[in-house]
């Protein structure tokens, strides 16, 4: 039932707004609204009950194991939420003069510094509001860098075919053409193809390492050399940074610019789709181009925002204020809780969990997409055999997992692997959860053999059964009563 | 170990199953000479108790001055229920609702959000959110360029009454695609843009026009007249709005349509803005969210996620992400935008906020902002040395011109616990010592009186010191 | 699965306590614990997930209509919770000197005053921590009053048979004997029986008005006269104050002492069983005996706790500090939100909802326990006919209601009415909820006729099916591994 | 109308269904002449925004001084997760779990609580909570009187090392039932009670004996020796404990049992105390909760609710309230107590707290309290004019004797932002100018140094003013 269906005209049960409406007669009538907006009219209890019950229809980390590959669904410490929501932060207006915002600015400054250290980059801007905006900032900086050198013919960005969709989409938004580089069966980039692809038109290469195939790109040094020798820059998509945190740093691998999804590696919540943060870091030569605002520390120990006057070559602003400060504060608290020793543990235990699951999956007879390599923080099972033998799809497996109380892994991504499940357990899950999930996978395979209709009809235990996506896209119903 | 559940025993067992001797072995594909050293510049970990104490101290090291600042971020009352429900684990720690059956909570909520936002704006379609108002404006411009098949110019008219930082952000984002943002100056008497000025700037082929209501100065633009003219000239209208004010002001879906010719094309084509006034705290600038709505005809040009209502196998109602073929994860380099993660949790808060407030709650709040601001402006402009910059109607923000340096006045006010407004001298040097003041429903008459009294004192003090330095000067001269 | 079953020896995943254990060698070994307590060893995520999921197994006001008679399950405004939990209150030590606790003390003082006004009593103490402790305080004051007058032979407390169990239990705890007074079929106290029962042994009468039968005691004036003339005092069990708030005040009805369940009428949460508050109010002659602490306002405008020195005749203390301040703050916020005009509305709409449901239940053919009177905030259906005809019990109805998404009303109370449901909708429920509940009742009656096994086997849709209470009491299992 | 969902239309319809003309008619059974007038002394209602502002102001009108106060309420760190989960609507707004199938969340949680509490105390059975520690002591005494069939005296030995306010509360509550609480003085050297003193007070038949560990002075009682003696004399032992300290101190279930004879009756018979240190904020004194545990043999004398594990129709595990025949709603005047509503939500918090902390977390916290307090006492007693009152071991509270008026010292400390301790002079005049200081894991070395420095300054200032007034006096005399 929609909140609109709880509505009754004239109802108003909340002691929220001013009880009386002040006069608006000073405003010319033609500028005024004629009819009240058709919002629901419910009591506070009705709203509380409706949204509390809605929330219960979600799977979430706080309620289920959620091994969604490439998404790093790890525990979001409640302390990060509580402390980021202290009134001293919540009530701070973004245009408050710097001297009156020192408590906030010091957090931002230290977060910049800690991210530099964690990634080996020379400087960081916290402005981008999600990974994709981080990519935008990064590619825009690559463009600005080449332009600043009069190198205006570099119109192409290279992207491996395994890349996340945001990579090519970003390159196009920045005005580039995209060329795809194939990936080898072992998960590494096809070096020969790369060598053929680079040239004077190459602005840069966007690379995710470990890749979305869940393996570490072993030829990273060679790749860096090839791209750099062609005059291009190297972009690091940091969505998978969780796998290598404290073990190897993008800066040390030769990347010129990176973004980091703080809502993955630094455990800020995904919130049902956001907000996130895609902070960008750069090597020295790209420093002048970082997006604003950034925070600097002055000689007198005060912190202040850098402005366009300070950074005349900056690519500019990406949002009205400072990215997503509430998210940034959560990441700051997280990093202070973990500290330098905790950073390393993130990669170690995320990798341990992934490799354990991979080994166990293999032992239980599942087919790995890449068999003879280490998993990073995630790994891929392909169900192409099961699909072929039992006429069940990876999607059927996914939906049946929901019935058994597990959120499904990422399905059908990366696009290269047929009928795949991309599984990322993260470091915060206990072995019991991993084993339980593997047991469920085994059970489902057995069901696929004996009663495949169980899979086709899944899920059965959730608020709705399988939903008709085709109808949704054909018979558009995008708003109540619209 | 914080947040790591593994016991030593378990680690041993897991390593044995993997067939390696140590966790270190799992990283043996990484070239040894590139391995990271200890990250000295990151402090050692702290217990929650220690971090908690630190953050409490830092939180208090921000001002508590009474806020009369607006300029794109507004301090409104947020019912307690809003964030208590929003931060429930099931909303807070869920991912994007790709597995629809396991995400009906989030999906239905977004569908309700889309319904509320279209009701508020009188537009046909809303997406599930953009990052913020400024980046939403940029995406609206990109969308208009894709959508306006009648124009090939990539020229967009942007009045200078549009929030300057929004204009800058839009520039950063649309810049790579050779789109030109043409400034239209405002009328010095009214603080609004006139049709004449727009016409002057729009020689030749123009793709779209941006119109902010209320505009950055708090003044009300002639939305009907301008919308109709734009449509007559095949120019798409992008409305940039404060959604709270739309509870009482004419919403973009109803702009124009006053002439015979324009009736069929009534309403702005795209509406965008920042959702912050609807339930998001100031929070040093975010997370807020960008709202983006359009006419039905433009839906396939919409960037970002959209939720649709459909049915399940049993024919029961349910909700899914739809029209995904517009998005990067399907369409990759041909997507309508690169956006993926959006501002879902803030939309959650905003939806609950709107449900609790209802239309009447929003209207009364907006009206209270208007009344309070009128009172403030009346009291301030009664003070010698303070003058309204523009004639005409302003909503809950107003430009005041001061007969003293704006920066000095504002810092004098801060010393008295008043965050007195936004200094316009950088963005609008032609206005002299001008500030933008803002009053919401949160400010009581007492607060307003305190501001007026502080202003009086600050101006007097400045005058006295100018007088005395004048006197000193003239004494010297003598 | 119990939290203990998620435990793994040596696990510790929370960044909470100091990481190291300081030395305790200065403590003689024989005073030290030998083995660590067998608490669960889980990570923070495991705890969060476990308790979040547990919570989802509850019915609650925030998720269901909860018409539990005599319990006043109305909406607990979230603002009351948020504001009572401001750090300035949470971090206040109870032994902080008065002058440093003025912000808290003023709330307590004003709450006392507002409760006096709402009930017509001369003074109030907020000390009692629940209704039953309020009753204890009240009856102890009655005893102290008689004693103070040398009237030591009053050893008996009268209690109507419809009374809540706490009434007789309290009287005994205070050292009294209990005599039950019968109730007439129309719900009023049997005046004749009362007249016969009173005498020089009568210390007082405990009365709930409206009674637990959901009707207003019409002879209250007569009753007061009878008891007072016998030298006894009149005690008001305020559990049902919600029904008459702002309409008639216990003080004006002649009661000498009352308690009010702030967790009912003043909407502080029930919290799965508490905490509550049973603030006690008295008429003038009992003022000296009120329990401590109380808060007074001094001439200089400061607030301070009253001490035993100030109140030498007080019955004393009932708890270490000030009752349940967090609960009291919630009640204070609630009263400030509602204000004087809101108080009256509480009774009006609670009564409207109850009478509407009663009229509708009757129209739909259900048997009312008391047919020809106004309901107060609650009313009783008896299912004795249904029980007889279809061999289903009120308990079966109750369990089946759970399946249909409604919390069951109070069953088998008051004890006088066979197979009864005591239904209290409260003022915060919308008509849709009331109608939905009535529809469910009708559906169940139909099921009782056509497929009674549905009722016997109910509930079917909850985390567990019907539970074996007899076994629980016989094969005691009161702790894990015990 | 705040929290009232009815529209005018609905009200009309509902009244029609009832068959009355107005809501007023529904009250026609109430004698008209008794009807209440408008409640003038209650202020008019306010919006949530207004109340919020008021409460923020009031909350800030309480001290933020560094807390070195204990005496029954302790400031410990509480993980954020604890109250975020506890205040979820499903826990917060549920009733007592009478409908077991619809309350498995609360019921299982209480079962887990009972399991944790018995583990911590090493007792057999725990109930679901009493109001607070003081009233739990009273109920423990009533329970002992009911349980001890070998004694008919109704005499209870209560050492004066038991928290004075607990003794007063117990008196109020057991008073009506002719139970006598006999004080046992403490040993001035050690701040503990000795077996000799107990023996002296226990001439004749005694029912039970109360023993607080750590005692009110923070000192550690000789629990083994006293427990064994009591059992040899058919006296039940009621342990009054701080549950946090039981993570490292010998728990009541293990007291005694050192002699041949006492081995079978090892352990206190009843354990009670306040659960506050386990996850409840100071909150001006509550809500906390009373813990109450006993040996298996006494379970039918236990007051309050108890949850038991059982099975459902399918044989699956589930939880119910059990042994309800002890309780007032069944047994009425013959119940073990009148308690009905207890402190469920605080128990919820406490259970989550214990789960997150684990035994090791509690131990490290308790040990940190001990170490910090030692440090404080060392630093303070190094100051001239400050002395430890007792030899022997104290836990995280200590009695200090001052060579200046205690009240004056404490208020001097407060002016320097230090809540310096509890003034003992009213309850223990024999100790002179004595205060009880307390240090938890929350206090850093910096805090402790700040206290020591403040103490030094305050004592010096008092000495100086005494000296100067002495000087003034002698000047006058001269
Ligand atoms: C590999 C990769 N790159 C980029 C992104 C985009 O990040 P965001 O969703 O924050 O825009 C994601 C996450 O969705 C990702 O997994
Ligand atoms: C009529 C009546 N009296 C007394 C009580 C006891 O109140 P409490 O549960 O707060 O002790 C109750 C509530 O349970 C009740 O309904």
């Amino acid at each position: 039932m929609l909140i609109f269906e709880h509505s009754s005209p004239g109802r108003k049960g909340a002691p929220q707004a001013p009880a009386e409406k002040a006069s608006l007669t000073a405003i010319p009538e033609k500028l005024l609204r004629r009819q009240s907006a058709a919002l629901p009219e419910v009591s506070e209890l009705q709203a509380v009950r409706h949204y509390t019950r809605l929330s219960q229809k979600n799977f979430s980390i706080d309620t289920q194991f959620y091994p969604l590959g490439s998404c790093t669904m790890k525990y979001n410490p409640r302390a990060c939420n509580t402390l980021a929501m202290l009134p001293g932060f919540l009530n701070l207006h973004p245009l408050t003069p710097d001297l009156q915002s020192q408590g906030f600015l010091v957090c931002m400054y230290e977060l910049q510094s800690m991210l530099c250290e964690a990634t080996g980059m020379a400087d960081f801007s916290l402005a981008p509001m999600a990974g994709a905006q981080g990519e935008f900032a990064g590619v825009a900086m690559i463009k600005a860098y080449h332009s600043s050198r009069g190198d205006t013919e570099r119109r192409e960005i290279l992207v491996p075919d395994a890349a996340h969709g945001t990579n090519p989409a970003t390159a196009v938004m920045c005005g580039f053409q995209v060329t795809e580089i194939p990936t080898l069966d072992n998960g590494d980039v096809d070096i020969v193809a790369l060598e053929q692809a680079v040239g004077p038109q190459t602005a840069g290469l966007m690379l995710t390492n470990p890749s979305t195939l869940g393996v570490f790109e072993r030829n990273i040094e060679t790749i860096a050399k090839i791209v750099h020798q062609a005059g291009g820059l190297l972009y690091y998509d940091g969505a998978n940074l969780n796998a290598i945190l404290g073990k190897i740093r993008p800066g040390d691998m030769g990347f010129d610019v990176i973004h980091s999804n703080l809502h993955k590696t630094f455990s800020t919540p995904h919130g049902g789709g956001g907000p996130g943060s895609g902070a960008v870091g750069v090597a020295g030569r790209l420093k002048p181009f970082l997006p604003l605002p950034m925070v600097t520390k002055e000689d007198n120990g005060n912190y202040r925002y850098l402005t366009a006057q300070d950074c005349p070559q900056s690519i500019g602003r990406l949002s009205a204020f400072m990215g997503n400060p509430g998210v940034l504060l959560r990441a700051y608290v997280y990093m202070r809780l973990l500290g330098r020793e905790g950073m390393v543990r993130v990669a170690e235990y995320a990798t341990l969990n992934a490799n354990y699951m991979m080994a166990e999956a293999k032992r239980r007879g599942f087919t790995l997409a890449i068999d003879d390599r280490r998993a990073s923080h995630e790994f891929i099972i392909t169900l192409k055999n099961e699909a072929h033998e039992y006429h069940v799809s990876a999607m059927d497996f996914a939906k049946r997992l929901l019935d058994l109380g597990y959120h499904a892994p990422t399905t059908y991504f990366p696009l290269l692997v047929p009928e795949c499940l991309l599984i990322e357990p993260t470091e915060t899950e206990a072995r019991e959860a991993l084993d339980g999930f593997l047991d469920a996978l085994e059970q489902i395979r057995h069901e696929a053999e004996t009663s495949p209709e169980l899979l086709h009809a899944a899920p059965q235990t959730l608020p709705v059964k399988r939903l008709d996506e085709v109808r949704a896209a054909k018979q558009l119903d995008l708003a109540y009563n619209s | 170990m914080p947040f790591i559940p593994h016991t030593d025993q378990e680690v041993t067992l897991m390593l044995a199953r993997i067939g390696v001797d140590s966790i270190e072995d799992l990283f043996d594909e990484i070239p040894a000479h590139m391995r990271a050293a200890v990250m000295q510049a990151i402090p050692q970990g702290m217990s929650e108790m220690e971090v908690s104490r630190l953050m409490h101290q830092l939180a208090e090291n921000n001002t508590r001055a009474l806020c009369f600042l607006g300029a794109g971020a507004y301090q409104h009352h947020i019912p307690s229920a809003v964030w208590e429900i929003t931060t429930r684990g099931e909303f807070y720690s869920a991912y994007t609702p790709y597995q629809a059956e396991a995400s009906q909570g989030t999906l239905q909520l977004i569908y309700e959000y889309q319904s509320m936002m279209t009701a508020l704006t009188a537009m046909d379609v809303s997406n599930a959110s953009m990052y913020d108002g400024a980046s939403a404006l940029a995406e609206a411009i990109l969308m208009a360029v894709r959508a306006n098949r009648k124009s090939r110019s990539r020229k967009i008219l942007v009045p200078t009454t549009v929030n300057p930082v929004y204009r800058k952000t839009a520039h950063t984002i649309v810049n790579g695609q050779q789109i030109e943002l043409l400034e239209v100056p405002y009328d010095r008497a009214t603080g609004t843009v006139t049709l004449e000025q727009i016409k002057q700037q729009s020689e030749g082929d123009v793709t779209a026009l941006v119109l902010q209501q209320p505009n950055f100065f708090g003044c009300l633009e002639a939305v009907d007249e301008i919308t109709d003219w734009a449509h007559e000239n095949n120019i798409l209208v992008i409305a940039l709005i404060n959604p709270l004010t739309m509870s009482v002001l004419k919403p973009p879906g109803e702009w124009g349509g006053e002439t015979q010719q324009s009736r069929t094309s009534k309403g702005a084509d795209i509406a965008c803005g920042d959702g912050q006034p609807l339930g998001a705290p100031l929070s040093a600038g975010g997370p807020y969210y960008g709202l983006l709505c359009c006419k039905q005809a433009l839906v396939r040009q919409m960037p970002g996620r959209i939720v649709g209502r459909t049915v399940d196998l049993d024919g029961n109602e349910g909700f899914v992400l739809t029209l995904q073929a517009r998005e990067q994860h399907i369409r990759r380099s041909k997507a309508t935008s690169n956006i993926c993660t959006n501002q879902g949790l803030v939309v959650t808060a905003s939806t609950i906020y709107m449900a609790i407030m209802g239309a009447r709650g929003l209207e009364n709040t907006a009206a209270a902002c208007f009344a309070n601001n009128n009172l403030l402006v009346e009291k301030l402009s009664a003070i010698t040395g303070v003058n309204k910059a523009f004639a005409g109607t302003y909503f809950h923000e107003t430009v005041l011109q001061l007969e003293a340096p704006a920066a000095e006045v504002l810092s004098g006010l801060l010393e008295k616990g008043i965050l007195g407004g936004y200094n316009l001298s950088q963005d609008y040097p032609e206005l002299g010592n001008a500030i933008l003041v803002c009053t919401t429903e949160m400010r009581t008459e007492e607060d307003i009186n305190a501001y007026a009294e502080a202003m009086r004192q600050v101006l007097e003090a400045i005058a006295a010191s100018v007088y005395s330095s004048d006197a000193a000067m003239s004494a010297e001269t003598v």
Side-chain angles (χ1 to χ4, degrees), chain A residues 219-250:
Chain A
N219 302 316
I220 179 62
E221 284 177 288
T222 314
I223 293 173
K225 205 178 294 164
I226 294 169
V227 174
H228 284 150
Q229 276 178 354
L233 297 185
L234 213 56
Y235 183 93
Y236 181 79
D237 177 334
N240 291 355
L241 184 63
N242 208 58
I244 56 166
L245 197 59
K247 291 290 172 187
I248 179 169
R249 307 189 306 169

Side-chain angles (χ1 to χ4, degrees), chain A residues 89-393:
Chain A
F89 296 121
L90 286 192
N91 295 327
L92 183 62
H93 192 288
L95 300 173
T96 303
D98 296 340
L99 270 179
Q100 278 72 34
S101 321
Q102 291 293 302
F104 168 69
L105 291 176
V106 63
C107 295
M108 296 302 102
Y109 180 79
E110 292 185 4
L111 181 57
Q112 289 171 186
S113 311
M114 290 193 292
L115 287 173
C116 286
E117 178 78 354
T119 59
M121 307 310 287
D123 209 351
F124 246 87
S125 163
L126 307 172
M129 300 174 96
Q133 216 189 27
E135 293 174 30
F136 179 91
V139 175
M141 283 191 276
I142 290 175
K143 190 169 190 174
Y145 169 79
H146 292 308
S147 297
S148 74
R149 295 157 39 104
D151 196 354
T152 52
E153 293 311 303
R154 297 187 176 273
R155 296 234 168 91
E156 192 176 272
I157 290 278
L158 305 176
V159 178
D161 53 4
H164 193 262
T166 48
N167 291 187
T170 296
V172 168
M173 249 180 116
C174 290
F176 285 105
Q177 280 136 30
V178 176
T179 299
E180 280 205 351
I181 307 294
T183 302
L184 301 176
D185 282 348
N186 67 9
D188 286 335
V189 164
D190 184 337
I191 297 282
V192 179
L194 176 65
E195 274 179 327
Q196 280 163 3
V198 294
Q201 79 289 0
T202 304
L205 168 72
M206 299 180 83
L207 197 71
T208 311
N209 192 16
S211 73
T212 59
L213 290 158
V215 288
F216 186 82
E217 174 55 63
R218 289 171 292 194
N219 302 316
I220 179 62
E221 284 177 288
T222 314
I223 293 173
K225 205 178 294 164
I226 294 169
V227 174
H228 284 150
Q229 276 178 354
L233 297 185
L234 213 56
Y235 183 93
Y236 181 79
D237 177 334
N240 291 355
L241 184 63
N242 208 58
I244 56 166
L245 197 59
K247 291 290 172 187
I248 179 169
R249 307 189 306 169
D252 300 338
M253 289 189 252
F255 285 95
D256 300 289
V257 46
I258 83 164
H259 85 264
S260 169
N261 294 51
L262 303 190
H263 47 301
K264 296 183 176 177
T265 310
F266 300 100
S267 203
T268 68
H270 284 89
S277 167
V280 278
V282 292
R285 54 178 160 169
L286 289 179
K287 269 178 82 160
F289 307 105
L290 278 166
L292 292 173
M294 293 168 57
V295 176
T296 190
K297 186 173 180 175
E298 310 213 282
D299 292 341
N300 62 8
N302 286 341
Y303 299 86
R304 72 170 178 87
Y305 282 119
L306 286 172
T307 66
Q309 277 85 58
D310 299 306
C311 310
Q313 290 187 278
S314 164
I315 58 161
R317 295 189 147 266
L318 299 165
S319 61
F321 304 109
M322 174 64 178
N324 278 331
V327 176
L328 300 170
L329 284 169
R330 282 168 177 80
Y332 177 74
V333 173
Y334 179 75
M335 290 186 88
R336 297 304 305 263
L337 282 167
L338 263 62
R340 66 171 79 111
E341 68 281 18
M343 295 287 119
V344 189
R345 283 198 302 255
V346 163
E348 291 185 341
Y349 289 87
T351 303
L352 175 65
N353 274 0
N355 280 282
Y356 170 77
M357 281 188 90
M358 185 169 76
E360 277 291 289
K362 185 174 177 179
R363 191 179 66 74
R364 295 170 190 233
F366 287 97
T367 310
L368 304 177
I370 299 177
D371 196 359
D372 51 352
R373 295 193 55 185
R374 300 277 180 239
S376 59
H377 62 311
E378 60 189 357
F379 69 100
I380 303 174
I381 285 176
T382 168
L383 297 165
K384 58 171 192 274
N385 296 339
E386 288 81 356
H388 184 253
E389 280 176 50
Y390 313 128
H391 301 287
V392 294
S393 64

